[in-house]
Amino acid sequence: MSQRFDIAIVGAGMAGASLGAQLLARGAGSVVMLEGEDRPGYHSTGRSAAFWQETYGGPQVQPLTLASGPVLEELGFLHPRGGLHLARAQDLPELQAFAEEFSNVGVDLPAVDRAGMEAQVPGLDPQWVAGLAEPSCRDIDVAGLHQHYLAAFRRGGGEVWTRARLAAARCDGDWALSLEDGREIRARVLVNAAGAWADEVAAMAGARPVGIQPLRRTMAQIRVSPEAQAAMPLVMDMAGTFYFKPEGGRLWLTPHDETPVPPCDAAPEEIDVAVAIDRFEGVVDWRVEAVEHRWAGLRSFAPDRLPVYGWDVSVPGFFWCAGQGGFGIQTAPAAADMAARLLLGQEAGEVDPGVFGPERFV
């Protein structure tokens, strides 16, 4: 016999968990979250080296980031970090354009000269001639934030089902959902918060896929000499070929790769770790003593690299909450608020949802 809910959310990562918590806080009725893995947040949320950074995602994503900042601060999930964007001589036009673009939306990016960069990153290679500081950049306690939303969801009466992979979805007024283990669910609304699997869920439900592409991102934890100092900022280059930041006396380092892959349990490739180290050795004169840990996660983007929130244009009762890319965690509070208002037909909040609707792909 089928269990009946008002809303079924496919996916219990940050997108699904934050939206579920907001829906129940706004009186949505009964909500179930369907997670295909043994635990929520296994693929992307649980592998994030997330930080809150106003410039990440571009000016169209910035309103979601900016509106989320005070919430994350109040909840205690933001911690001081700061950011430093490095540029070589050939990157100076991009550095200037970047500063101007974000100055227009009120982001403070003070110029940093060579001496200022060396003070923050000792041993910096001479090729790095200019930089921009991003003082507002913060670390995010990703696990803490995710657990906060899951706990709020459960307190509100929501149910989280793990090992609950969707096998079929049919709409006959309500949604009839079949899980791979044979369980059946009926729901009035089906929410697609399936991350890398979002297009697969859409096709299963009879909706047109919008082109969500999973991209593999590689991370490595390295031990360096001299030891990474805790006060060092998040260090990035204008060409987008690396970033690194300190973590517990070690460095977390990425080659900033975005390798298209099918939806999968992502694993790091040795070549990508080697590329990351090679690029790092062109930044500072520190010695890499060991690669202590390596991992990879999936970042899923729509074709225009903006998230997708809203009702499907052709399938009634099907709601998109997908394509959050690498900024889904830093925008979670505002994005969940915006999406919950849309789904429940409530008055719009602080952020205009217009640019994020799935109708833009029709």
Side-chain angles (χ1 to χ4, degrees):
M1 183 175 176
S2 299
Q3 286 190 248
R4 180 174 291 277
F5 298 88
D6 291 306
I7 301 170
I9 300 174
V10 180
M14 192 67 77
S18 58
L19 177 56
Q22 275 289 334
L23 286 170
L24 289 175
R26 292 183 165 276
S30 58
V31 185
V32 65
M33 208 178 297
L34 305 175
E35 172 55 56
E37 304 296 343
D38 292 346
R39 65 180 189 273
Y42 175 74
H43 289 285
S44 296
T45 300
R47 307 183 195 191
S48 173
F51 35 83
W52 184 91
Q53 184 185 12
E54 279 191 81
T55 59
Y56 187 60
Q60 289 181 295
V61 171
Q62 193 242 8
L64 288 172
T65 303
L66 195 61
S68 295
V71 180
L72 295 170
E73 193 79 61
E74 182 180 347
L75 293 172
F77 296 123
L78 291 187
H79 307 288
R81 172 58 56 207
L84 179 63
H85 301 266
L86 302 179
R88 299 161 296 184
Q90 62 264 39
D91 303 322
L92 292 178
E94 288 77 10
L95 188 77
Q96 181 178 353
F98 183 76
E100 290 176 356
E101 178 180 43
F102 283 97
S103 175
N104 292 334
V105 290
V107 181
D108 184 30
L109 298 172
V112 184
D113 61 15
R114 174 70 199 188
M117 292 191 296
E118 288 178 336
Q120 297 181 72
V121 188
L124 189 66
D125 190 270
Q127 68 176 315
W128 305 101
V129 299
L132 295 173
E134 191 164 351
S136 63
C137 183
R138 300 285 189 270
D139 283 341
I140 303 178
D141 178 357
V142 179
L145 181 62
H146 189 218
Q147 289 304 312
H148 163 80
Y149 282 128
L150 290 172
F153 179 72
R154 291 185 172 109
R155 284 196 307 272
E159 296 186 26
V160 180
W161 293 11
T162 55
R163 302 181 184 177
R165 193 175 300 278
L166 190 65
R170 178 175 54 85
C171 189
D172 55 9
D174 284 344
W175 286 98
L177 308 177
S178 301
L179 306 184
E180 287 186 355
D181 63 6
R183 287 179 287 179
E184 301 283 338
I185 290 175
R186 302 284 296 186
R188 180 174 55 84
V189 174
L190 178 60
V191 176
N192 184 6
W197 285 263
D199 270 0
E200 291 189 3
V201 168
M204 194 180 298
R208 178 182 176 183
V210 300
I212 301 291
Q213 174 63 62
L215 304 172
R216 187 179 67 235
R217 167 62 52 87
T218 305
M219 297 293 300
Q221 177 175 298
I222 59 176
R223 187 174 74 247
V224 295
S225 180
E227 183 177 288
Q229 297 302 301
M232 190 175 70
L234 169 71
V235 180
M236 309 151 277
D237 75 317
M238 284 308 304
T241 63
F242 67 81
Y243 71 73
F244 56 86
K245 70 170 188 171
E247 187 74 26
R250 303 296 192 259
L251 276 181
W252 282 6
L253 168 68
T254 176
H256 216 263
D257 52 328
E258 290 190 340
T259 304
V261 293
C264 64
D265 185 357
E269 300 282 346
E270 288 299 324
I271 184 61
D272 294 324
V273 176
V275 167
I277 292 172
D278 180 66
R279 291 175 181 173
F280 176 74
E281 289 174 339
V283 181
V284 290
D285 62 4
W286 306 352
R287 185 171 67 254
V288 177
E289 296 189 330
V291 177
E292 296 183 333
H293 181 46
R294 66 202 76 194
W295 68 98
L298 298 178
R299 303 146 49 81
S300 300
F301 286 94
D304 59 4
R305 296 182 72 89
L306 294 178
V308 187
Y309 296 108
W311 294 104
D312 190 83
V313 295
S314 58
V315 178
F318 187 80
F319 189 90
W320 288 85
C321 179
Q324 289 85 5
F327 39 78
I329 293 167
Q330 70 175 36
T331 62
D337 177 75
M338 179 187 71
R341 290 169 182 268
L342 275 173
L343 193 153
L344 297 174
Q346 297 176 353
E347 184 178 352
E350 184 175 350
V351 180
D352 180 4
V355 297
F356 305 122
E359 65 274 4
R360 69 189 193 266
F361 298 110
V362 175

